[in-house]
Amino acid sequence: MAYEKARGRRVGGQTADAGFQIGVSRTFAVTPDEAWRFMTSPQGMRLWLGHVQSLELAPGTGYRTAQGTTGEIRTKASGMQRHWAQVLGGISGALRAVR
């Protein structure tokens, strides 16, 4: 990708096969379970994805938000929860070690 960007074939954020991608992060003082419960609540889903009528967190489930954003769930909900629990738990442990 760096080669293609250096030669003007791609711009920042452009991926090889998915179009464009961005990332934003912010840290909150919550446990992984608290974060997961919030992110999968109706309020959390609206903040995460936009307004969706309903969304089953199962692989292959497509969605379209009221704002026109479309997507597809590609990971089992339990797998996503496990992943985020590990990520957030690791970050939490690292922060405690620094203090």
Side-chain angles (χ1 to χ4, degrees), residues 28-88:
F28 296 94
V30 297
T31 67
D33 285 339
E34 290 169 327
W36 180 253
R37 278 194 303 273
F38 177 75
M39 291 305 294
T40 57
S41 72
Q43 181 184 10
M45 292 289 237
R46 277 192 304 278
L47 292 170
W48 181 13
L49 301 172
H51 182 72
V52 291
Q53 290 294 74
S54 65
L55 178 61
E56 179 186 356
L57 294 175
T61 302
Y63 64 88
R64 181 179 184 85
T65 68
Q67 297 80 12
T69 301
T70 60
E72 179 182 324
I73 302 299
R74 301 212 174 180
T75 305
K76 287 185 179 181
S78 61
M80 291 188 326
Q81 184 176 13
R82 206 170 24 256
H83 166 77
W84 285 110
Q86 290 172 348
V87 169
L88 295 171

